[in-house]
Amino acid sequence: MQHVGGQTREQYVEVAPGVRLWTQRRGPAGAPALLLVMGAQASGIGWPEPLVEALAEHHHVIRYDHRDTGRSSHPFDEDPYRVTDLAQDIVAVLDGLGVDRAHLVGLSLGGMLTQLVLADHPERVLSATLLGTCALSETPYVRPDGTSVPVAELPGIAPEVLELWARPVEDHGLEAELDRRVEHWRVLAGGRIPFDADHFRELERRIIEHAGTYAVSTAHGRADDCGMLRTAELARNEVPALVVSAPAEPVFPPPHPQHLAQVIAGARLVEVPGMGHALPPAVLGPLAEAILGHTVGRRAA
């Protein structure tokens, strides 16, 4: 299969005994690697094709399915793991594909996993781009007026998102499941950009086709999330870091992006107008431009 960014290659990588992850690579093999890290319970197919194509014009783009998503192993019920193990999977994917260093782009939980790799394995990271996530730091947020806000007092998840997440997921067939997922995206999108239900329905059809099932896993929500703070490590970061601010973000609303840019040493902040916790067509151009503006020209030493 040929794409604008070059040939697409699929490969499984073993990241732990009996655990293998599906990976896909696109773009010139000699270009700097860029690894896309999705959020909780999200398959790598969730990264929109136009964004992957735009990035693959300049990078060897890698996306993958986390454990318990898509075509990767689903081991949690028999062998529970920690959230930090999902971060180690990033390093294992790079190892398995023979990649020494890569640009990392992480969304939501993927942004937290990217911070963990940034803190624990900076020698593997060319740059980091963080979307729709919160800081793994105890350092207070400093407002523009100089006053500080403890991390615990930063805004929480929007009530409509929490209400949606609290609803039990029941099997009423494929079309009903697609309806549920589209409604989920509508709430996550934040409401500042006209919502394209057809786009997200087609996206979820591709995700389901890729996985071969529309069953929903809750593994990542049940995984042990202890030991994730990296306050000191992020404060002494030396890797180029970009934080994308999404003004319509309902999961980690502003000033979470501003806080994140403060606690990661040297981080830059850029806003994508109208963006929420979703990737609709309207934000893909500005988002690709922001990412490429951060990554193009950065090469491994």
Side-chain angles (χ1 to χ4, degrees), residues 68 74-80 219 222:
D68 287 280
H74 287 60
F76 188 85
D77 288 336
E78 290 74 32
D79 187 14
R222 292 180 284 141

Side-chain angles (χ1 to χ4, degrees), residues 7-23:
Q7 189 173 25
T8 296
R9 298 174 58 192
E10 296 183 7
Q11 179 179 337
Y12 285 91
V13 172
E14 187 169 3
V15 298
V19 179
R20 65 177 197 162
L21 305 186
W22 174 88
T23 73

Side-chain angles (χ1 to χ4, degrees), residues 226-243:
C226 69
M228 291 180 63
L229 285 175
R230 294 294 187 274
T231 303
E233 293 87 347
L234 295 175
R236 58 174 179 261
N237 168 66
E238 296 182 354
V239 176
L242 177 71
V243 178

Side-chain angles (χ1 to χ4, degrees), residues 115 118-119 128 130 135 137 139 230-243 258-269 294:
Q115 290 176 70
L118 189 62
L130 306 169
S137 173
T139 302
R230 294 294 187 274
T231 303
E233 293 87 347
L234 295 175
R236 58 174 179 261
N237 168 66
E238 296 182 354
V239 176
L242 177 71
V243 178
Q258 290 74 17
H259 178 233
L260 188 55
Q262 288 179 0
V263 304
I264 300 177
R268 296 188 303 112
L269 185 71
H294 181 55

Side-chain angles (χ1 to χ4, degrees), residues 90 96 99 104 144 147 149 217 270:
I90 293 174
V99 176
L104 302 184
T147 59
V149 181
S217 172
V270 64

